[in-house]
Amino acid sequence: MTQTTVPSSWDLTGRVAVVTGAARGIGHATATLLRARGARLVVTDRLDAVEQLATNDPEHVAALVGDVSDEELARVTMRSAIDRFGRLDILVNNAGRTLNKPITETSVDEFDAIMRINARGNFVQAREAFRVMEADGGGAIVSIASVSSLVAFATQTAYAASKGALAQITRVLAIEGGPKGIRSNAVLPGVIDTDIMDGVVDNGREMLASFGSAHPTGRIGRPEEVAETVAFLCSDASSFITGALVAVDGGWTAQ
């Protein structure tokens, strides 16, 4: 990962960021971009592949493997940022799961599993980061929610509920964090070209691409496009933005 030249207010040199769900998709694109902007990173994921980020850049990146909803992992992650790099400035709450089933076919266990990762997982990560940031004078928390936080789609009872919860967590953190110098925002992607549907349906990438015409832009998004917005919200360029739900959706929610 090499640092790129950006306006000074976008530069993240000297900052330390935690990125969850960084092994692939939006999380991987975000970790790559934050590092390119100068941040040092602690990256986590349930997949061992996240360790490759640290292998490629061991001086500036540390990796942890585990379940994002695990309270102890959350505490260890934030401590790792302090122990390894001396501070914590940014949390990108990205880890998540999806489920597409009619409500009558959705079990309680499936509902709980989605809420555990998307709501509880993001809650415990934000709570532990908030504690560190509160003690150190501030920071930025950016959560990856979804357009499903705002609009409803059939077969997304569990997923929409979890992402709606994450949107409200974001707003509450903005209110609690404002006096403490902690900003909290959420990015709401539309349909993005990732492997999130692999293992959920056959031909997941093709299924996602078929939603292109539902976006006014006529195509689905790329992980790098979401990452750019995340990086902006992590930077001083967004210093007066908090409690915002920022749609990166090709105009989907404008319809």
Side-chain angles (χ1 to χ4, degrees):
M1 303 180 194
T2 58
Q3 189 170 347
T4 57
T5 301
V6 295
S8 59
S9 60
W10 290 62
D11 186 35
L12 298 174
T13 299
R15 309 288 175 88
V16 176
V18 167
V19 182
T20 69
R24 59 187 186 182
I26 292 170
H28 188 275
T30 297
T32 301
L33 182 58
L34 296 188
R35 177 69 202 110
R37 297 271 168 90
R40 291 167 292 172
L41 307 175
V42 176
V43 293
T44 74
D45 204 288
R46 64 183 178 83
L47 300 175
D48 293 346
V50 73
E51 294 176 335
Q52 191 62 45
L53 288 166
T55 300
N56 292 342
D57 191 0
E59 183 179 352
H60 302 105
V61 183
L64 295 169
V65 177
D67 186 329
V68 71
S69 68
D70 184 337
E71 290 185 85
E72 183 57 25
L73 176 66
R75 286 188 283 266
V76 168
T77 299
M78 307 314 155
R79 285 201 302 266
S80 294
I82 301 298
D83 293 345
R84 178 72 183 274
F85 301 119
R87 57 191 295 157
L88 174 65
D89 304 284
I90 296 162
L91 168 65
V92 179
N93 248 337
N94 167 75
R97 290 179 58 185
T98 189
L99 180 71
N100 290 73
K101 280 189 173 184
I103 189 170
T104 54
E105 298 175 16
T106 302
S107 71
V108 169
D109 286 346
E110 288 172 326
F111 184 89
D112 287 348
I114 294 299
M115 294 297 290
R116 180 175 59 82
I117 299 299
N118 295 359
R120 169 183 158 154
N122 285 283
F123 158 72
V124 297
Q125 298 291 324
R127 183 187 66 190
E128 298 307 316
F130 197 99
R131 286 170 170 164
V132 174
M133 293 174 181
E134 181 178 26
D136 290 349
I141 298 172
V142 181
S143 297
I144 308 302
S146 168
V147 292
S148 295
S149 302
L150 298 179
V151 295
F153 302 95
T155 75
Q156 287 197 348
T157 306
Y159 182 76
S162 69
K163 292 298 187 176
L166 182 52
Q168 287 300 88
I169 290 171
T170 295
R171 287 167 160 157
V172 172
L173 290 180
I175 295 168
E176 292 187 14
K180 306 173 188 298
I182 301 171
R183 295 186 300 109
S184 173
N185 296 290
V187 174
L188 280 53
V191 181
I192 307 298
D193 186 14
T194 70
D195 60 1
I196 192 170
M197 295 303 295
D198 289 1
V200 178
V201 297
D202 294 333
N203 302 315
R205 290 294 182 111
E206 290 81 357
M207 188 274 284
L208 291 176
S210 71
F211 283 95
S213 60
H215 300 70
T217 54
R219 64 173 177 85
I220 64 173
R222 301 186 299 274
E224 294 77 15
E225 292 174 308
V226 181
E228 288 284 355
T229 301
V230 175
F232 165 71
L233 292 171
C234 292
S235 75
D236 290 342
S238 63
S239 57
F240 199 55
I241 301 175
T242 193
L245 307 179
V246 183
V248 183
D249 66 351
W252 187 306
T253 53
Q255 300 179 97

